Short mmCIF file of all heavy atoms in Angstrom, two decimals:
data_model
loop_
_atom_site.label_atom_id
_atom_site.label_comp_id
_atom_site.label_asym_id
_atom_site.label_seq_id
_atom_site.Cartn_x
_atom_site.Cartn_y
_atom_site.Cartn_z
N PRO A 1 -19.91 -17.74 -54.00
CA PRO A 1 -20.32 -16.71 -53.02
C PRO A 1 -19.26 -16.50 -51.94
O PRO A 1 -18.65 -17.46 -51.45
CB PRO A 1 -21.62 -17.28 -52.44
CG PRO A 1 -21.56 -18.74 -52.69
CD PRO A 1 -20.77 -18.93 -53.95
N PHE A 2 -19.04 -15.21 -51.58
CA PHE A 2 -18.13 -14.84 -50.50
C PHE A 2 -18.81 -13.78 -49.62
O PHE A 2 -19.50 -12.89 -50.15
CB PHE A 2 -16.82 -14.27 -51.05
CG PHE A 2 -15.84 -15.30 -51.52
CD1 PHE A 2 -15.93 -15.81 -52.80
CD2 PHE A 2 -14.84 -15.77 -50.68
CE1 PHE A 2 -15.03 -16.78 -53.25
CE2 PHE A 2 -13.94 -16.72 -51.11
CZ PHE A 2 -14.03 -17.24 -52.40
N PRO A 3 -18.59 -13.85 -48.30
CA PRO A 3 -19.15 -12.81 -47.42
C PRO A 3 -18.44 -11.47 -47.64
O PRO A 3 -17.21 -11.43 -47.71
CB PRO A 3 -18.90 -13.33 -46.01
CG PRO A 3 -18.44 -14.74 -46.18
CD PRO A 3 -17.90 -14.88 -47.54
N VAL A 4 -19.21 -10.39 -47.74
CA VAL A 4 -18.64 -9.07 -47.94
C VAL A 4 -19.25 -8.10 -46.94
O VAL A 4 -20.24 -8.41 -46.29
CB VAL A 4 -18.89 -8.56 -49.38
CG1 VAL A 4 -18.25 -9.48 -50.40
CG2 VAL A 4 -20.38 -8.41 -49.64
N GLN A 5 -18.61 -6.93 -46.83
CA GLN A 5 -19.09 -5.91 -45.89
C GLN A 5 -18.84 -4.53 -46.51
O GLN A 5 -17.77 -4.28 -47.07
CB GLN A 5 -18.35 -6.03 -44.56
CG GLN A 5 -18.80 -5.07 -43.49
CD GLN A 5 -18.08 -5.32 -42.17
OE1 GLN A 5 -18.02 -6.45 -41.69
NE2 GLN A 5 -17.51 -4.28 -41.60
N THR A 6 -19.83 -3.67 -46.38
CA THR A 6 -19.70 -2.31 -46.89
C THR A 6 -19.00 -1.43 -45.85
O THR A 6 -19.35 -1.46 -44.67
CB THR A 6 -21.08 -1.73 -47.23
OG1 THR A 6 -21.74 -2.58 -48.17
CG2 THR A 6 -20.95 -0.33 -47.82
N ILE A 7 -18.02 -0.68 -46.30
CA ILE A 7 -17.22 0.15 -45.39
C ILE A 7 -18.03 1.36 -44.93
O ILE A 7 -18.60 2.10 -45.73
CB ILE A 7 -15.93 0.62 -46.08
CG1 ILE A 7 -15.05 -0.59 -46.44
CG2 ILE A 7 -15.16 1.58 -45.18
CD1 ILE A 7 -14.62 -1.41 -45.27
N THR A 8 -18.07 1.53 -43.60
CA THR A 8 -18.69 2.71 -42.99
C THR A 8 -17.72 3.28 -41.95
O THR A 8 -16.74 2.63 -41.58
CB THR A 8 -20.02 2.35 -42.30
OG1 THR A 8 -19.76 1.36 -41.28
CG2 THR A 8 -21.03 1.80 -43.30
N THR A 9 -18.00 4.49 -41.52
CA THR A 9 -17.18 5.09 -40.45
C THR A 9 -17.91 4.93 -39.13
O THR A 9 -19.14 5.04 -39.06
CB THR A 9 -16.92 6.57 -40.72
OG1 THR A 9 -18.16 7.26 -40.85
CG2 THR A 9 -16.08 6.75 -41.97
N ASN A 10 -17.15 4.66 -38.07
CA ASN A 10 -17.71 4.42 -36.74
C ASN A 10 -16.79 5.00 -35.68
O ASN A 10 -15.64 5.37 -35.97
CB ASN A 10 -17.90 2.92 -36.49
CG ASN A 10 -18.84 2.27 -37.47
OD1 ASN A 10 -20.04 2.26 -37.28
ND2 ASN A 10 -18.27 1.69 -38.53
N ASP A 11 -17.29 5.04 -34.46
CA ASP A 11 -16.46 5.39 -33.31
C ASP A 11 -15.84 4.12 -32.75
O ASP A 11 -16.50 3.09 -32.66
CB ASP A 11 -17.28 6.09 -32.23
CG ASP A 11 -17.79 7.44 -32.69
OD1 ASP A 11 -17.16 8.03 -33.58
OD2 ASP A 11 -18.81 7.91 -32.16
N ALA A 12 -14.58 4.18 -32.37
CA ALA A 12 -13.87 3.00 -31.88
C ALA A 12 -13.11 3.33 -30.60
O ALA A 12 -12.65 4.46 -30.41
CB ALA A 12 -12.89 2.48 -32.93
N THR A 13 -13.00 2.32 -29.75
CA THR A 13 -12.23 2.45 -28.52
C THR A 13 -10.94 1.64 -28.65
O THR A 13 -10.98 0.44 -28.86
CB THR A 13 -13.03 1.95 -27.31
OG1 THR A 13 -14.25 2.67 -27.21
CG2 THR A 13 -12.24 2.15 -26.02
N VAL A 14 -9.83 2.34 -28.54
CA VAL A 14 -8.52 1.68 -28.60
C VAL A 14 -7.93 1.68 -27.20
O VAL A 14 -7.95 2.71 -26.51
CB VAL A 14 -7.58 2.41 -29.58
CG1 VAL A 14 -6.22 1.73 -29.62
CG2 VAL A 14 -8.20 2.46 -30.96
N TYR A 15 -7.39 0.55 -26.78
CA TYR A 15 -6.83 0.44 -25.44
C TYR A 15 -5.31 0.47 -25.51
O TYR A 15 -4.69 -0.34 -26.19
CB TYR A 15 -7.29 -0.85 -24.75
CG TYR A 15 -8.75 -0.84 -24.38
CD1 TYR A 15 -9.71 -1.40 -25.23
CD2 TYR A 15 -9.17 -0.26 -23.18
CE1 TYR A 15 -11.05 -1.38 -24.89
CE2 TYR A 15 -10.52 -0.24 -22.84
CZ TYR A 15 -11.45 -0.80 -23.69
OH TYR A 15 -12.78 -0.78 -23.36
N GLN A 16 -4.72 1.44 -24.80
CA GLN A 16 -3.28 1.48 -24.63
C GLN A 16 -2.93 0.79 -23.31
O GLN A 16 -3.54 1.08 -22.28
CB GLN A 16 -2.78 2.93 -24.61
CG GLN A 16 -3.13 3.74 -25.85
CD GLN A 16 -2.34 3.30 -27.07
OE1 GLN A 16 -1.30 2.66 -26.93
NE2 GLN A 16 -2.83 3.65 -28.25
N GLU A 17 -1.97 -0.13 -23.34
CA GLU A 17 -1.66 -0.93 -22.16
C GLU A 17 -0.26 -0.60 -21.64
O GLU A 17 0.69 -0.44 -22.43
CB GLU A 17 -1.77 -2.43 -22.49
CG GLU A 17 -3.18 -2.85 -22.89
CD GLU A 17 -3.31 -4.35 -23.08
OE1 GLU A 17 -2.25 -5.03 -23.15
OE2 GLU A 17 -4.45 -4.85 -23.16
N TYR A 18 -0.17 -0.52 -20.31
CA TYR A 18 1.10 -0.16 -19.66
C TYR A 18 1.32 -1.07 -18.45
O TYR A 18 0.41 -1.23 -17.62
CB TYR A 18 1.07 1.30 -19.21
CG TYR A 18 0.67 2.27 -20.29
CD1 TYR A 18 -0.65 2.70 -20.40
CD2 TYR A 18 1.60 2.75 -21.20
CE1 TYR A 18 -1.04 3.58 -21.41
CE2 TYR A 18 1.23 3.63 -22.21
CZ TYR A 18 -0.09 4.04 -22.30
OH TYR A 18 -0.47 4.90 -23.30
N THR A 19 2.50 -1.64 -18.36
CA THR A 19 2.86 -2.46 -17.21
C THR A 19 2.96 -1.59 -15.96
O THR A 19 3.58 -0.51 -15.99
CB THR A 19 4.19 -3.19 -17.44
OG1 THR A 19 4.08 -3.97 -18.64
CG2 THR A 19 4.53 -4.09 -16.27
N ALA A 20 2.36 -2.05 -14.86
CA ALA A 20 2.27 -1.22 -13.66
C ALA A 20 2.73 -1.99 -12.43
O ALA A 20 2.56 -3.22 -12.35
CB ALA A 20 0.84 -0.72 -13.45
N ASN A 21 3.31 -1.26 -11.48
CA ASN A 21 3.63 -1.79 -10.16
C ASN A 21 2.59 -1.29 -9.17
O ASN A 21 2.27 -0.10 -9.15
CB ASN A 21 5.03 -1.34 -9.72
CG ASN A 21 6.12 -1.88 -10.63
OD1 ASN A 21 6.07 -3.02 -11.06
ND2 ASN A 21 7.10 -1.04 -10.93
N ILE A 22 2.08 -2.19 -8.34
CA ILE A 22 0.98 -1.85 -7.44
C ILE A 22 1.51 -1.70 -6.01
O ILE A 22 2.26 -2.55 -5.52
CB ILE A 22 -0.10 -2.95 -7.49
CG1 ILE A 22 -0.68 -3.03 -8.91
CG2 ILE A 22 -1.22 -2.67 -6.48
CD1 ILE A 22 -1.63 -4.18 -9.11
N GLU A 23 1.11 -0.60 -5.38
CA GLU A 23 1.49 -0.34 -4.00
C GLU A 23 0.28 0.17 -3.24
O GLU A 23 -0.65 0.74 -3.82
CB GLU A 23 2.61 0.71 -3.92
CG GLU A 23 3.93 0.27 -4.53
CD GLU A 23 5.01 1.33 -4.39
OE1 GLU A 23 4.75 2.33 -3.68
OE2 GLU A 23 6.09 1.15 -4.98
N GLY A 24 0.30 -0.04 -1.91
CA GLY A 24 -0.75 0.52 -1.08
C GLY A 24 -0.64 2.03 -1.04
O GLY A 24 0.43 2.59 -1.29
N GLN A 25 -1.75 2.68 -0.71
CA GLN A 25 -1.71 4.14 -0.69
C GLN A 25 -0.77 4.66 0.40
O GLN A 25 -0.33 5.81 0.37
CB GLN A 25 -3.11 4.70 -0.47
CG GLN A 25 -3.71 4.37 0.89
CD GLN A 25 -5.05 5.06 1.12
OE1 GLN A 25 -5.36 6.02 0.44
NE2 GLN A 25 -5.81 4.58 2.08
N GLN A 26 -0.45 3.81 1.37
CA GLN A 26 0.47 4.20 2.43
C GLN A 26 1.28 2.98 2.84
O GLN A 26 0.75 2.02 3.38
CB GLN A 26 -0.32 4.75 3.64
CG GLN A 26 0.55 5.44 4.67
CD GLN A 26 -0.28 6.08 5.77
OE1 GLN A 26 -1.46 5.78 5.93
NE2 GLN A 26 0.32 6.98 6.52
N ASN A 27 2.57 3.01 2.56
CA ASN A 27 3.49 1.95 2.97
C ASN A 27 4.47 2.54 3.98
O ASN A 27 5.35 3.32 3.62
CB ASN A 27 4.26 1.39 1.76
CG ASN A 27 3.39 0.52 0.88
OD1 ASN A 27 2.38 0.00 1.32
ND2 ASN A 27 3.78 0.37 -0.36
N VAL A 28 4.29 2.18 5.24
CA VAL A 28 5.08 2.77 6.32
C VAL A 28 6.08 1.74 6.83
O VAL A 28 5.70 0.66 7.29
CB VAL A 28 4.19 3.25 7.48
CG1 VAL A 28 5.02 3.93 8.55
CG2 VAL A 28 3.10 4.19 6.95
N GLU A 29 7.36 2.08 6.75
CA GLU A 29 8.40 1.22 7.31
C GLU A 29 8.49 1.46 8.81
O GLU A 29 8.61 2.61 9.26
CB GLU A 29 9.75 1.50 6.65
CG GLU A 29 9.81 1.08 5.19
CD GLU A 29 11.19 1.28 4.59
OE1 GLU A 29 12.01 1.98 5.22
OE2 GLU A 29 11.45 0.73 3.51
#
């Protein structure tokens, strides 16, 4: 015996990842 699964179509969420630099909304020198 082996576990099996029947193929179906579904909705999926894919995450795209991006490296980000964080700054305050106002940086005053």
Side-chain angles (χ1 to χ4, degrees):
F2 280 85
V4 299
Q5 183 176 309
T6 303
I7 297 300
T8 59
T9 57
N10 299 274
D11 293 335
T13 303
V14 180
Y15 290 95
Q16 302 289 341
E17 297 185 347
Y18 308 96
T19 303
N21 297 320
I22 298 173
E23 295 182 8
Q25 65 174 342
Q26 192 175 16
N27 286 338
V28 183
E29 292 184 346

